[in-house]
Amino acid sequence: MEKPSLLPLLDARLPLNEEKVAEAARLAGVPLAQAWGVVRYYPRYRGLPQGRLLVDDPVARARGFARLLEEADGTHPPLGLEALSPVYVRLEGGERHVEHGGSLVPFHRFRLPFSLGHGERLLPPEPILDLEAYQRMGGLAGLEGLLKGRLSPDGLIQAVEEAGLLGRGGAAFPTHIKMRAVAQGEPPRYLVVNADESEPGNFKDRFLLEHHPFLVLEGALLAALAIGASRIFLYVRDEFEAAMRGLEKAIAELEEAGRLPVPTEVFRSGGLYICGEETALLESMEGKRAEPRLKPPFPVEKGLWGRPTLVQNVETLASLPLLLREGPGAWRAREPKLFSISGDVERPGLYELPLGTPLEDALRKAGGEPGELRAVLLGGAAGVFTRDLSFPLRYRDRLPLGAGAIVAFGKGVDLWEVLLGLTEFFREESCGKCFPCPLGTAVQVEMVRRRERDRSLVQHLGQTLRGSLCGLGQSAYWAYQSLLEVEGAA
Amino acid sequence: MRLKVNGQEREAQEGTLLLDLVEVPTLCHHPHTETKGLCRLCLVEVGGRLVPACATEAQEGMEVRTDTEGLRALRRTLLEWLALATDLSQAPSLLELLEAHQGQPQRWGGLGLTRKEREPIRDNPFFLRDYAKCVNCRRCVDACGDGIMGVYALTLEDRGLLAHPTTPLDRPLPETPCVFCGNCIQVCPTGALRPLSMEV
Ligand code: SF4
Ligand code: SF4
Ligand code: SF4
Ligand code: FES
């Protein structure tokens, strides 16, 4: 049964000492051992590195990382700032700032400073941050329809099925199947919005949360009503402070307007890449180390506190109001998807494009010159390097689309440097629960350092990582393997 | 109920663990603790997917493979990596497995991170905690907590390759709820926890 979660109790007591940890454990009703395991797991309880930190993302790696690092006190994991990269973060005491283009902006005020790029789009290009503006553009129509009975919960799930919506978090699982499975479970049921985006090269969810909080919330409310969820939790990446504040403000506005049919709250994430893995996310909400669970059982049957839970990505949910407005058929014909495009293109940023758009067209939209590129990293850290620019950006085709990250690298870029950054990222983010991943990601870093090209070694590395417990380890070698293929093709 | 193991028809009870039907090495699984599915040494292929035999129940019509080339490479590599990162000198069964799988840890070159440099912790008269030898199977943590004792004198420290057991607030064991029942030593597969009476 539901207990007060340990993480918010610890957060309220930062900076921690032994008494405060013991007090939080008591209030959460868990053994001190559990609380200590948690404190020794999450960076913010262990103590974050202080000073001026270079954000370590693939674009920074392509821009002479070693030279940039000379001006920094250390590195910071990717923050979805690839379109601006290189960027520094200043951490002093409890204060966090983004340092970019000569200005210093506190995290709680920092929103991605660009609008939606050119493209055929359903999403408004400029931010919509108050309820009135949202309603002016037709917002809340879907929710009204559901509340007034013009649309039934099952009708909504049917519309999602007709639209053919696939989860936008990377796994591309049919959304309606998950929704139906939860809707059929015993109540209470929960909806958890996975807003923990930390995949290098991706900033689409960050953009939606910061620029379109009402759209995200309407989507979450629609999904919650469709599955009969009694509560909504938005699990938001720890660093997205502006997004958290914006969401809290939007929730309050909806509540005041009497438009919040399901209790909704923001949950500050654990602040690690693995927290975005849906079962690790649930573990952290339950006050444990964010370590993936063995599946089955799947969250749709046994999720948060053992209850049927729909864990759904931000973009997937934000698609629901748009899908209802367009009509499932029209939506399906277009299948809009958000792509984060960064690196060696003229206008890095976020683009809404129909699935099936050839990669080279996507690059051109962002002002990229396909002929000038050495390769593209498609799908983020858990993605692949490719030179196949005719690839139609579609799920379950030859290459993994992931959450839609596209990072372009020009002719002068040393891709091995970029790869080294990705492999170090995996080594740092491995939770350490299963065996192949912490061992294999550590071995991999050393192999990439010495630019190992021995086929059988790389093959055995891949075969072994493939046996990892969760997607982090399972995909950790894709970029390496694909770089060797790109090299072979060059 | 019928299933196929390496192409051969087998009869099994509904709900039997695959582990009871196939010959595969294990490390993290222990019948007295709830640990399972972590080490991945017991992985088998079911319909092209890798599943841990210690945490997967037999089902009607399953086609299980235990000896594909990929699985052999996986077990060999995993054992090699364990030997690279961890001191296996007190884990004879793992060393035997390494040899049986023709493991050659050196083929991977060096490893930046290693567990081998950890100093043994002598904080009680009964046993030693020597985490240079620990593979982080968590059997001890589970035995002390949910699995057997319900005492919670052990928990986990850190992430990634450096993750390993510790005590609440990192206190010496006598200052924790530990009752020195010895269950954790009993379940430890690597000699990372061992009675002091066995030390010379
Ligand atoms: S694959 Fe890596 S991140 Fe996933 S459970 Fe295993 S150690 Fe943890
Ligand atoms: S000896 Fe102490 S640490 Fe080990 S299982 Fe018993 S109570 Fe737990
Ligand atoms: S000390 Fe032994 S039982 Fe405990 S995790 Fe390490 S190897 Fe496993
Ligand atoms: S024995 Fe099955 S995964 Fe460890």
Side-chain angles (χ1 to χ4, degrees), chain A residues 219-279:
Chain A
L221 288 166
L222 286 169
L225 291 171
I227 62 169
S230 57
R231 281 171 84 176
I232 298 173
F233 299 92
L234 293 126
Y235 187 88
V236 186
R237 179 153 183 208
D238 170 48
E239 284 100 347
F240 296 174
E241 279 186 35
M244 274 190 247
R245 293 195 183 196
L247 287 166
E248 270 160 4
K249 185 170 152 280
I251 291 169
E253 269 187 62
L254 283 170
E255 186 150 39
E256 204 164 302
R259 305 291 176 81
L260 194 74
V262 184
T264 303
E265 64 199 85
V266 172
F267 191 102
R268 177 180 288 268
S269 98
L272 288 164
Y273 178 53
I274 194 60
C275 292
E277 197 280 340
E278 58 178 10
T279 59

Side-chain angles (χ1 to χ4, degrees), chain A residues 18 33 36-37 40-41 46 272 289 291 428 430-432 434-436 438 440 446 450 457 460 463-464 467-468, chain B residues 38-40 43 70 73-74 77 81 107-108 112 135-136 138 152 155-161 167 169-171:
Chain A
E18 293 191 351
W36 189 244
R40 302 306 289 163
Y41 184 84
R46 300 185 62 117
L272 288 164
R289 296 162 62 92
E291 294 176 335
E428 295 314 308
S430 166
C431 83
C434 74
F435 286 22
E446 296 305 315
R450 63 171 192 263
L457 274 189
H460 285 181
Q463 271 164 327
T464 310
S468 298
Chain B
L38 305 189
C39 74
R40 320 298 282 177
L43 286 181
L74 188 156
T77 303
W81 290 349
R107 72 187 175 119
W108 297 97
V135 290
N136 196 30
R138 305 173 174 209
Y152 305 99
T155 183
L156 290 158
E157 153 76 331
D158 222 326
R159 298 182 287 117
L161 193 56
T167 54
L169 306 178
D170 294 332
R171 287 283 163 73

Side-chain angles (χ1 to χ4, degrees), chain A residues 457-475:
Chain A
L457 274 189
V458 177
Q459 196 195 356
H460 285 181
L461 173 83
Q463 271 164 327
T464 310
L465 277 169
R466 208 165 78 81
S468 298
L469 175 57
C470 85
L472 189 153
Q474 286 164 4
S475 59

